[in-house]
Amino acid sequence: MSVDMATSDPEDATRSRGTLLMKVPGRARPQKQALKEFNEAVTELRRRYEPAFWPLVVPEARDMFRWRVLLDCGCAQEVYTHGDDRFPDDRSYLDHMTDAQLPPGEFWCAATHASAPNPYREIVEWCDRKIIDFPADPEEPEYAMDPETWALIRHDGPHSSAFWRVKLECGHYGQVCTEIAWKPEDGPKLASRKRITEMRADFEESWSTDGDGAWPAEGPEREHLRKMLDLRWPRPAPDQDCYTCAHISRIVGYQRIGWLVRRTPPVPAPAPRIDRDKIAARLAAAEAEVERLKHQLSSVEN
Ligand SMILES: [Zn+2]
Ligand SMILES: [Zn+2]
């Protein structure tokens, strides 16, 4: 179930709406169960946010319309839209990896599926950053490193790094660590040609001697590493692998279930125009009666 209602994309004129309506295999959950789970999710949102934010982040059960959606992984899931005049691909859903909003039409399936390796995606936007402070590294090597390598990279005093939130070409978000002084307009730092020749020789040697245990294994990761060597090891790198791309599903169909809270049909309001006509007719009849009585009275007086 997805209760997050953070955003809906503005009407996108390039997409035709409601084109994925279909019969989704399987059955909807009982309404009582759906409402119970919805209320539990609302309680959790109320716990997480200050009451001042509730009108923005906590959806009302009476506004929620239920749908079953079919995903391209073959799973069917239940989602909500705000009202029955929106379709499940009109709104965006949460990226469970980064807590960002996914591009419309994408959905994080709750089931676990075998996935392809993460594809590499270009960074298209450096959004914002946070600075994180670290204490001095221990003297004993960490990460199973040999003492010489550890001595080269070890920080012997407290240090800080910038962690940037970046937008990738696929519309998903990632994180990149840089030095604090670095700004996007500085561009990446490149290694010297001499250093690249050494690095390339070291990698090629370890790949040929370590065989199947070599890192990274033959495949997209090693290809990417070779590409970075060709580009002189730019830091920060211009791209990164996207976990979300490898794990996201697309909405391929949807079917209406109904309102989360059953609605009683509104009593039709009396049409005021008809009432006015009736009153006008009664008034005219009354006026005619008055005239008739007046006339009768005057003829008696005479
Ligand atoms: Zn699935
Ligand atoms: Zn992606």
Short mmCIF file of all heavy atoms in Angstrom, two decimals, residues 121 168 170-172 242-246, ligand 2:
data_model
loop_
_atom_site.label_atom_id
_atom_site.label_comp_id
_atom_site.label_asym_id
_atom_site.label_seq_id
_atom_site.Cartn_x
_atom_site.Cartn_y
_atom_site.Cartn_z
N ARG A 121 24.56 6.15 -14.76
CA ARG A 121 23.78 7.31 -15.23
C ARG A 121 24.57 8.59 -15.01
O ARG A 121 25.19 8.76 -13.95
CB ARG A 121 22.46 7.39 -14.44
CG ARG A 121 21.57 6.17 -14.50
CD ARG A 121 21.09 5.87 -15.89
NE ARG A 121 20.02 4.90 -15.90
CZ ARG A 121 19.77 4.11 -16.95
NH1 ARG A 121 20.52 4.17 -18.03
NH2 ARG A 121 18.76 3.27 -16.91
N LEU A 168 20.18 12.31 -11.32
CA LEU A 168 20.76 11.58 -12.44
C LEU A 168 19.88 11.73 -13.67
O LEU A 168 18.71 12.12 -13.57
CB LEU A 168 20.90 10.10 -12.06
CG LEU A 168 21.66 9.83 -10.75
CD1 LEU A 168 21.64 8.34 -10.42
CD2 LEU A 168 23.09 10.34 -10.86
N CYS A 170 18.30 9.70 -15.34
CA CYS A 170 17.10 8.86 -15.33
C CYS A 170 15.99 9.48 -14.47
O CYS A 170 14.88 8.96 -14.42
CB CYS A 170 17.45 7.49 -14.78
SG CYS A 170 18.39 7.59 -13.24
N GLY A 171 16.29 10.60 -13.76
CA GLY A 171 15.28 11.23 -12.90
C GLY A 171 15.39 10.77 -11.45
O GLY A 171 14.67 11.27 -10.59
N HIS A 172 16.28 9.81 -11.18
CA HIS A 172 16.49 9.34 -9.80
C HIS A 172 17.60 10.17 -9.15
O HIS A 172 18.26 10.96 -9.82
CB HIS A 172 16.85 7.85 -9.80
CG HIS A 172 15.81 7.01 -10.49
ND1 HIS A 172 16.12 5.96 -11.31
CD2 HIS A 172 14.45 7.11 -10.49
CE1 HIS A 172 14.99 5.42 -11.78
NE2 HIS A 172 13.97 6.11 -11.30
N CYS A 242 23.08 3.49 -10.72
CA CYS A 242 21.78 3.82 -10.14
C CYS A 242 21.08 2.54 -9.67
O CYS A 242 20.64 1.73 -10.48
CB CYS A 242 20.91 4.57 -11.15
SG CYS A 242 19.32 5.06 -10.43
N TYR A 243 21.00 2.40 -8.36
CA TYR A 243 20.34 1.23 -7.75
C TYR A 243 18.84 1.24 -8.09
O TYR A 243 18.24 0.21 -8.39
CB TYR A 243 20.55 1.28 -6.23
CG TYR A 243 19.96 0.11 -5.47
CD1 TYR A 243 20.71 -1.04 -5.26
CD2 TYR A 243 18.67 0.17 -4.96
CE1 TYR A 243 20.17 -2.12 -4.56
CE2 TYR A 243 18.12 -0.90 -4.26
CZ TYR A 243 18.88 -2.05 -4.06
OH TYR A 243 18.34 -3.10 -3.38
N THR A 244 18.25 2.47 -8.05
CA THR A 244 16.81 2.58 -8.29
C THR A 244 16.46 2.07 -9.69
O THR A 244 15.50 1.32 -9.87
CB THR A 244 16.36 4.04 -8.10
OG1 THR A 244 16.66 4.43 -6.77
CG2 THR A 244 14.86 4.19 -8.34
N CYS A 245 17.26 2.47 -10.72
CA CYS A 245 16.99 2.03 -12.10
C CYS A 245 16.91 0.50 -12.20
O CYS A 245 16.08 -0.04 -12.91
CB CYS A 245 18.07 2.53 -13.04
SG CYS A 245 17.66 4.08 -13.86
N ALA A 246 17.79 -0.19 -11.45
CA ALA A 246 17.85 -1.64 -11.55
C ALA A 246 16.71 -2.30 -10.78
O ALA A 246 16.46 -3.49 -10.95
CB ALA A 246 19.19 -2.14 -11.04
ZN ZN B 2 18.01 5.69 -12.19
#
